[in-house]
Amino acid sequence: MFGYSQGIIATVQVQPPFIKRMYHKNVNLEQVQAGDTGIDPFVQAITVSCLNITALFASIVAAYIYDILGRRMSVRIGTIIYLEATSIHPIWQH
């Protein structure tokens, strides 16, 4: 999960739809490439840090869950949690 979150956050932080949804700033690709998004770098750093801390805790907990439930069941539970989180998230934005 930790490596997955690293790849995702590196990619989406420069996507205009993500910037609009997360930071409520309308930017185009040219502004992103020029570094003129109007987003406070501290806020971006906090966003990345929170995602990485969450992934770290999930990785630690996953090791114990794997031992108790097994790999297949743990992956299924993780998939259900991930599906729930991604399906509920757009509702909170409105």
Side-chain angles (χ1 to χ4, degrees):
M1 292 304 292
F2 190 74
Y4 180 73
S5 70
Q6 288 287 335
I8 293 297
I9 198 63
T11 304
V12 299
Q13 273 219 290
V14 295
Q15 299 295 322
F18 177 80
I19 293 170
K20 182 177 181 182
R21 179 171 286 221
M22 189 71 178
Y23 305 111
H24 306 291
K25 303 276 185 179
N26 289 322
V27 296
N28 57 30
L29 193 56
E30 290 79 26
Q31 289 173 309
V32 172
Q33 289 173 341
D36 184 30
T37 59
I39 302 167
D40 184 14
F42 182 73
V43 173
Q44 284 183 317
I46 294 296
T47 303
V48 172
S49 298
C50 288
L51 182 67
N52 288 330
I53 288 170
T54 304
L56 174 68
F57 288 133
S59 298
I60 292 169
V61 171
Y64 293 106
I65 293 174
Y66 282 179
D67 286 342
I68 296 168
L69 300 176
R71 183 183 57 85
R72 283 186 173 177
M73 184 57 74
S74 299
V75 170
R76 287 179 184 147
I77 291 171
T79 303
I80 291 169
I81 291 170
Y82 191 80
L83 180 65
E84 288 281 329
T86 57
S87 65
I88 292 173
H89 179 68
I91 296 170
W92 293 344
Q93 293 298 323
H94 298 291

